[in-house]
């Protein structure tokens, strides 16, 4: 109802402005020039406005880079350096072309503005110029695509070795679960058809490999150890997004997708970094002055989180799982404390 009222008010406001403009036009003196043909004065004014706008555009761009670059999150995986390098190379090329093209566009709009008696030059074509502005983008884009393919291949093709930790990430509206293999080192069979009672992930209870699987609500990862993730979805399309690890993968119902990375920065290390200390301080300053938060909510401490990056329903915004990156010793100590699937089913 509120949305409908807003639309009605906006429509009435638009009609009012339109009527006022008609009244203003009718109130102009008879001798006023209402011709639709631009005069030299009009062209001069528009040409100068183009120059003013390009100065404003560049000023806004410089300010945005200066002010917002502090929000660029540091990478915390082995491939994040290559990922960021590809991003900045692409951004640098785009900005270089954008600065030149936008400047020429606005400068020529001023320099070649319409003037009485000036005639435009007819210039049919120039094969040399057309070759140059065709071949340069082709070579540049080909180089970027080839570089991107090599980077993509090195990120996606995770070699599964004896040292690789294999973790299943299970998505459902609106939460995540992590499943680790037990002492046998093999994840048990699972299918949504087996979901019943406490068996939320649909593990096959008759599969001996599933008995020692460990299901958790937090994702713990040992630092500097390759991790291969296998993704399943119970219901709709989700997207597993690890922003600090520069990784994302769609989680598709009815199929298993996968990717992997090697975490390089523990949760404790990133909390003590200069970037994160400053960020947490600013967040806590904002929260301290928010009267809508309880006292226990005003103190913020950074944690890695797995997020959903696909709009999957009404609570999509809150679909997240805490990630803890720790030393190998801390990880082994934590995993030993977790309950296995066999122990869970035995209790029920």
């Amino acid at each position: 109802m509120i949305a409908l009222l807003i639309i009605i008010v906006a429509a009435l406001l638009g009609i009012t402005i339109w009527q006022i403009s008609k009244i203003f036009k009718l109130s102009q003196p008879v001798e006023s020039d209402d011709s639709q043909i631009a005069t030299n004065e009009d062209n001069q004014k528009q040409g100068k406005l183009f120059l003013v706008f390009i100065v404003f555009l560049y000023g806004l761009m410089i300010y945005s880079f200066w002010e917002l670059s502090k929000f660029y999150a540091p990478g915390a995986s082995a491939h994040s350096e290559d990922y960021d390098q590809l991003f900045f190379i692409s951004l640098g090329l785009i900005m270089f072309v954008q600065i030149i093209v936008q400047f020429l566009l606005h400068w020529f709009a001023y320099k070649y503005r319409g003037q009485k008696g000036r005639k435009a030059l007819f210039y049919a074509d120039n094969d040399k110029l057309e070759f140059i502005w065709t071949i340069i983008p082709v070579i540049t884009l080909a180089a970027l695509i080839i570089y991107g393919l090599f980077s993509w291949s090195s990120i996606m093709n995770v070699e599964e070795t004896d040292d690789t930790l294999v973790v299943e990430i299970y998505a459902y509206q609106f939460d995540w679960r992590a499943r680790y293999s037990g002492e046998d080192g093999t994840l048990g069979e699972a299918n949504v058809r087996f979901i019943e009672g406490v068996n939320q992930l649909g593990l096959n209870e008759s599969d001996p490999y599933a008995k020692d699987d460990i299901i958790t609500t937090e994702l713990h990862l040992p630092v500097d150890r390759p991790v291969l993730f296998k993704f399943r979805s119970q219901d709709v399309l989700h997207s597993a997004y690890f922003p600090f690890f520069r990784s994302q993968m769609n989680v598709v119902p009815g199929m298993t997708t996968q990717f992997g990375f090697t975490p390089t920065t523990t949760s404790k290390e990133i909390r003590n970094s200069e970037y994160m200390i400053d960020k947490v301080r600013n967040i806590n300053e904002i929260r301290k002055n928010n009267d809508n938060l309880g006292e226990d909510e005003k103190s913020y401490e950074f944690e890695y989180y797995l997020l959903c990056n696909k709009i999957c329903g009404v609570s999509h915004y809150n679909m997240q799982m805490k990630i803890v990156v720790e030393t190998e010793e801390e990880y082994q100590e934590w995993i030993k404390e977790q309950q296995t699937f066999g122990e869970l089913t035995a209790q029920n």
Side-chain angles (χ1 to χ4, degrees):
M1 189 53 144
I2 295 175
L4 179 60
L5 288 173
I6 292 173
I7 293 172
I8 292 172
V9 170
L12 291 173
L13 183 61
I15 294 170
T16 302
I17 294 172
W18 175 52
Q19 293 295 335
I20 291 173
S21 67
K22 289 175 67 177
I23 294 170
F24 178 76
K25 185 176 180 181
L26 290 172
S27 64
Q28 294 297 306
V30 177
E31 63 274 8
S32 63
D33 182 13
D34 60 352
S35 171
Q36 299 298 314
I37 300 174
T39 63
N40 283 349
E41 184 181 353
D42 295 329
N43 292 327
Q44 182 79 1
K45 184 189 301 181
Q46 294 299 320
K48 289 180 178 178
L49 283 175
F50 267 90
L51 294 182
V52 170
F53 180 77
I54 194 60
V55 171
F56 168 75
L57 179 67
Y58 285 162
L60 184 62
M61 181 183 69
I62 294 169
Y63 171 79
S64 297
F65 274 104
W66 180 267
E67 189 66 22
L68 302 178
S69 60
K70 61 185 178 184
F71 294 111
Y72 195 84
S77 65
H79 71 252
S80 60
E81 184 176 347
D82 289 338
Y83 179 98
D84 289 349
Q85 183 173 311
L86 177 59
F87 173 79
F88 284 120
I89 289 174
S90 301
L91 182 64
L93 286 171
I94 291 169
M95 294 307 301
F96 175 75
V97 174
Q98 185 268 148
I99 288 171
I100 293 175
V101 170
Q102 290 295 331
F103 172 77
L104 292 177
L105 176 67
H106 290 76
W107 170 248
F108 287 162
Y110 170 75
K111 183 177 181 181
Y112 300 110
R113 63 195 180 278
Q115 291 182 4
K116 191 174 181 179
R118 175 186 284 182
K119 185 178 179 181
L121 172 67
F122 177 75
Y123 195 78
D125 57 63
N126 186 309
D127 292 341
K128 185 177 180 181
L129 279 177
E130 290 179 6
F131 177 80
I132 291 172
W133 68 49
T134 300
I135 199 66
I136 290 177
V138 167
I139 293 173
T140 305
L141 288 174
L144 276 177
I145 291 170
I146 293 171
Y147 177 34
L149 286 173
F150 275 105
S151 299
W152 170 261
S153 179
S154 65
I155 292 171
M156 294 301 299
N157 296 331
V158 179
E159 185 179 353
E160 190 172 345
T161 64
D162 293 338
D163 188 47
T164 304
L165 174 65
V166 180
V167 183
E168 180 186 77
I169 302 295
Y170 185 79
Y172 63 95
Q173 294 174 311
F174 297 96
D175 210 346
W176 303 92
R177 290 292 182 269
R179 179 162 68 108
Y180 299 81
S181 60
E183 294 181 0
D184 58 20
T186 304
L187 289 171
E189 180 189 357
N191 193 292
V192 292
R193 293 193 297 269
F194 298 135
I195 295 175
E196 185 179 5
V198 296
N199 189 3
Q200 292 183 318
L201 272 62
L203 272 66
N204 186 351
E205 297 185 31
S206 63
D207 183 4
Y209 289 117
K211 297 294 184 182
D212 63 351
D213 285 358
I214 296 167
I215 301 169
T216 65
T217 57
E218 286 187 357
L219 180 59
H220 283 242
L221 303 174
V223 69
D224 295 327
R225 181 176 173 186
V227 184
L228 178 64
F229 296 98
K230 296 182 180 292
F231 299 96
R232 284 194 304 134
S233 172
Q234 175 178 305
D235 35 51
V236 299
L237 181 66
H238 300 277
S239 187
Y241 180 40
F242 302 77
F244 284 87
F245 303 99
R246 304 295 192 265
S247 298
Q248 180 172 315
M249 176 59 69
N250 284 344
V251 188
V252 185
M255 66 180 294
T256 300
T257 55
Q258 69 176 41
F259 72 67
F261 60 78
T262 302
T264 56
T265 308
T266 66
S267 299
K268 292 179 182 177
E269 288 172 341
I270 197 166
R271 282 195 207 104
N272 294 326
S273 67
E274 184 179 347
Y275 165 86
M276 197 55 66
I277 290 172
D278 184 55
K279 177 179 178 179
V280 170
R281 184 190 305 115
N282 291 335
I283 292 174
N284 283 327
E285 281 295 321
I286 295 170
R287 288 185 169 219
K288 184 174 66 176
N289 299 320
N290 190 337
D291 296 331
N292 295 321
L293 296 176
E295 289 300 322
D296 57 332
E297 297 177 305
K298 291 188 176 182
S299 179
Y300 165 78
E301 184 178 49
F302 172 80
E303 298 287 357
Y304 290 124
Y305 278 96
L306 165 61
L307 306 173
C308 180
N309 208 21
K310 281 284 188 298
I311 300 177
C312 56
V314 293
S315 295
H316 154 77
Y317 70 95
N318 202 32
M319 185 172 169
Q320 54 188 326
M321 179 165 65
K322 179 181 174 182
I323 303 173
V324 178
V325 180
E326 54 200 354
T327 63
E328 182 69 33
E329 293 75 18
E330 290 171 328
Y331 167 75
Q332 293 298 339
E333 183 178 343
W334 172 82
I335 201 74
K336 288 176 183 177
E337 297 172 352
Q338 306 308 306
Q339 187 181 47
T340 65
F341 178 67
E343 293 170 345
L344 176 65
T345 53
Q347 292 176 358
N348 296 272

